[in-house]
Amino acid sequence: MTNDNLQIAIDGPAASGKSTVARMVADRLNAFYLNTGEMYRTITWALMNKGITDFENDETLSDFLASSDLRYSLNDQDDLVLFLDDEVVDINEVRQPEVTANVSLVAKRPLIRQWMLERQRSCAKLGLLVAEGRDIGTVVFPNARWKLFVTATPMERARRRLAQSSEVEAGITLEELAKQIADRDRIDETREVSPLKPAEDSIIVDTTGLSIEEVLDKIAGIVK
Ligand code: CDP
């Protein structure tokens, strides 16, 4: 595994605000930004497009993975852009609620996680990397220079996600959304392979009640 202490790992549960934070930290440090949730979402979206909904069938998954290519490549602005089979992934598509409803069921499959791991680790060769997800500090980059676990109370997370209207079903209530998020957290936290949990040496960043600027200041105090 490539590891020169050049990774900043940002993990945390659904809608904790870690994407916003990770992207801004990457900007400030002039680092590459890797969003591993988008990789799981893309594979889920692609499976659904092929009409595959039995995510428990390893043979089907394995055939699908063997004929699929998912990778991050640099664009002209030196940003990492996600490609699926030579097409740039439309992030809005993969963040739709229909995909969100299935992504944890796909992400818990060991076959899928193993396939992702090589693709995520290969980004380390680029240099300073801010990588976010659920298992970055625990599994993908266990030797990362900094490990943050970004979280907030379930209600605050549900409120934040509700404000991202394109990512939720029209008319959904805060309570329904909080339940969906709690269900996804539970699947992510209890799966057998690389469950969502803070790495032993991670720093917990509770963003409840904090603005983005306050969160960034907090993180700037940690990542110097
Ligand atoms: O943005 P949001 O918090 O809703 O989720 P995301 O970061 O886009 O991740 C979507 C899903 O992908 C998670 O709920 C996990 O099931 C899965 N995931 C994972 O298992 N491991 C990662 N490193 C990243 C995401």
Side-chain angles (χ1 to χ4, degrees), residues 177-213:
L177 189 55
K179 181 173 179 315
Q180 285 181 4
I181 289 177
D183 287 346
R184 187 146 61 96
D185 285 350
R186 188 180 36 76
I187 301 172
D188 290 344
E189 285 163 358
T190 58
R191 66 181 172 224
E192 274 168 33
V193 183
S194 16
L196 165 67
K197 62 175 180 192
E200 273 174 24
D201 49 352
S202 72
I203 298 168
I204 310 282
V205 180
D206 187 345
T207 68
T208 310
L210 299 184
S211 67
I212 290 169
E213 287 69 31

Side-chain angles (χ1 to χ4, degrees), residues 50-130:
K50 284 222 150 92
I52 301 171
T53 48
D54 180 6
F55 307 129
E56 295 291 305
N57 187 328
D58 274 352
E59 209 179 310
T60 313
L61 291 182
S62 158
D63 288 348
F64 171 79
L65 293 177
S67 63
S68 303
D69 182 28
L70 182 72
R71 78 202 129 70
Y72 270 99
S73 292
L74 291 178
N75 67 8
D76 295 345
Q77 285 81 47
D78 257 6
D79 293 322
L80 281 176
V81 177
L82 188 57
F83 285 82
L84 175 70
D85 301 331
D86 294 327
E87 297 272 342
V88 175
V89 173
D90 180 343
I91 299 304
N92 293 326
E93 282 274 320
V94 305
R95 296 203 62 88
Q96 294 178 102
E98 295 78 9
V99 177
T100 307
N102 282 326
V103 61
S104 290
L105 301 174
V106 173
K108 75 178 200 174
R109 305 298 302 147
L111 212 72
I112 299 272
R113 301 205 74 81
Q114 190 54 43
W115 192 82
M116 292 289 186
L117 200 52
E118 303 153 24
R119 286 165 175 78
Q120 293 161 355
R121 284 184 178 158
S122 72
C123 294
K125 63 178 180 291
L126 293 167
L128 187 61
L129 189 68
V130 177

Side-chain angles (χ1 to χ4, degrees), residues 8 10 18-34 75 77-80 128-131 212 216 219 223:
I8 298 172
I10 303 188
K18 61 188 182 315
S19 298
T20 311
V21 163
R23 199 175 290 114
M24 292 176 103
V25 170
D27 270 359
R28 273 200 192 179
L29 298 175
N30 210 9
F32 296 103
Y33 165 61
L34 179 68
N75 67 8
Q77 285 81 47
D78 257 6
D79 293 322
L80 281 176
L128 187 61
L129 189 68
V130 177
I212 290 169
L216 273 179
I219 290 176
V223 178

